[in-house]
Amino acid sequence: MKKETIFGKVLLVGRTNVGKSTLLNKLIKSNISIISRKPNTTQTHLTGIYTDKLIQFELIDSPGINYIYSNIEKKKLRDTFNLIHEVNIIIFIINSFIWTNHERKLLKYIKKHNDNYVIVINKIDYIKKKILLLPFIQKINKLTVNHEIFLISAKKNIYLKNLLIYIKKTLPTSFHRHVHTKKTTCTKEFLIAEIIRNTLMNLVNKEIVYSFIVEISDFYQQNNNRYFISSIIFVKNIQHKKIIIGYKGAKINQCHIRSQNKIENFLKEKIFFKILVKIK
């Protein structure tokens, strides 16, 4: 008798820097989502794919919710709120002891539109006396009656197995949507642009971290299997361009060298790589 397959969609939500990207990377065992200590690192929704025999699910990493209502923030919020309506499971990630108006608003919205959610308290490895968490857990428990609460450390891979077991047993019976070797719905071009963006983010001052975008203008494989990749970093003004290029080109050269090493590791091939900086 043929066994039934399981498929569903799981959404990671929470404020910035709670560990959503780390959790996604750990669960699918592939580094597709940027991890950085700088806030608002994830700028769009990224989808990883977990497959284990008969079970498959899409794991969606959302930008951190901070209710800053610029046009960009509004669109990100709308996209996340639309996904809350659609997915099979919502994983609401919080940091130990942090429960503010951001979390209250988000929980209220989730309760109203999708009751299939769990609370995940991340970064428990930073808490030496775990007993201090008990009052906080009791508080959350009163707000989320009859919903699971998981304590984890995504970074240290602590108790992730318990969360994974819950996801697997909760998802519906359905056909798989992806081949079993696929790890993400993102294109190679997108992931390479993210590698460059992450590398540059860690080289520049925080005031211009979100003032540039990276686009891949050329991406193809030559007959000798070597990839040709040309990228453009678009900035807002001449001052930002000077900062990114650096004194005598030092900063952009660093970005080029580090990005090339990371991209070659990602593609498992040598590449010919160019970076340009332009004002847009």
Side-chain angles (χ1 to χ4, degrees), residues 11-18 20 39-42 45 61-69 73-84 90-93 100-107 109-110:
L11 176 65
L12 305 175
V13 298
R15 66 162 59 224
T16 60
N17 282 57
V18 291
K20 298 185 297 295
N40 294 313
T41 305
T42 302
H45 292 81
D61 183 13
S62 64
I65 291 178
N66 54 19
Y67 296 95
I68 300 172
Y69 290 109
E73 296 296 330
K74 281 182 180 179
K75 185 183 183 306
K76 288 192 290 185
L77 275 173
R78 280 198 305 270
D79 291 345
T80 298
F81 288 165
N82 287 338
L83 283 167
I84 285 171
I90 298 161
I91 298 178
F92 185 0
I93 307 177
T100 69
N101 198 39
H102 290 338
E103 283 73 23
R104 283 190 290 271
K105 282 183 178 180
L106 182 54
L107 180 61
Y109 189 89
I110 291 169

Side-chain angles (χ1 to χ4, degrees), residues 114-244:
N114 192 337
D115 198 48
N116 299 313
Y117 70 89
V118 298
I119 303 293
V120 169
I121 301 174
N122 191 24
K123 305 185 181 182
I124 62 166
D125 51 305
Y126 289 108
I127 303 168
K128 291 183 179 179
K129 294 182 179 179
K130 301 294 188 288
I131 195 168
L132 296 176
L133 263 176
L134 191 56
F136 182 70
I137 294 169
Q138 289 171 339
K139 174 184 174 181
I140 302 302
N141 195 41
K142 288 178 183 177
L143 297 170
T144 60
V145 179
N146 297 326
H147 286 80
E148 297 277 357
I149 298 174
F150 293 91
L151 276 66
I152 70 163
S153 168
K155 185 178 181 180
K156 297 291 180 67
N157 205 6
I158 298 172
Y159 303 137
L160 295 194
K161 186 178 180 182
N162 297 338
L163 179 61
L164 195 53
I165 289 169
Y166 173 85
I167 293 171
K168 289 179 177 180
K169 74 179 183 183
T170 307
L171 291 173
T173 301
S174 184
F175 295 110
H176 289 184
R177 310 286 171 84
H178 309 283
V179 295
H180 287 195
T181 54
K182 196 171 184 179
K183 288 290 187 179
T184 180
T185 59
C186 301
T187 64
K188 285 181 180 179
E189 290 95 325
F190 175 84
L191 293 174
I192 289 166
E194 285 289 277
I195 289 171
I196 299 164
R197 185 170 71 88
N198 181 38
T199 304
L200 189 56
M201 279 178 63
N202 291 310
L203 287 171
V204 297
N205 297 329
K206 62 182 180 181
E207 60 266 23
I208 69 161
V209 160
Y210 313 111
S211 299
F212 65 84
I213 58 173
V214 180
E215 292 184 5
I216 304 300
S217 55
D218 279 306
F219 177 81
Y220 59 87
Q221 199 167 10
Q222 298 170 323
N223 292 333
N224 60 359
N225 289 331
R226 189 170 187 171
Y227 283 92
F228 179 93
I229 301 168
S230 183
S231 62
I232 304 173
I233 298 166
F234 286 107
V235 296
K236 291 181 176 181
N237 53 53
I238 188 66
Q239 187 60 32
H240 287 173
K241 183 176 181 179
K242 288 179 180 178
I243 292 170
I244 286 174

Side-chain angles (χ1 to χ4, degrees), residues 14-32:
R15 66 162 59 224
T16 60
N17 282 57
V18 291
K20 298 185 297 295
S21 298
T22 303
L23 180 57
L24 181 143
N25 291 340
K26 288 288 185 181
L27 288 179
I28 70 167
K29 297 180 180 177
S30 182
N31 294 326
I32 69 158

Side-chain angles (χ1 to χ4, degrees), residues 50-57 164 168 176 180:
Y50 175 94
T51 307
D52 181 22
K53 298 176 183 176
L54 297 174
I55 299 167
Q56 185 178 85
F57 60 86
L164 195 53
K168 289 179 177 180
H176 289 184
H180 287 195

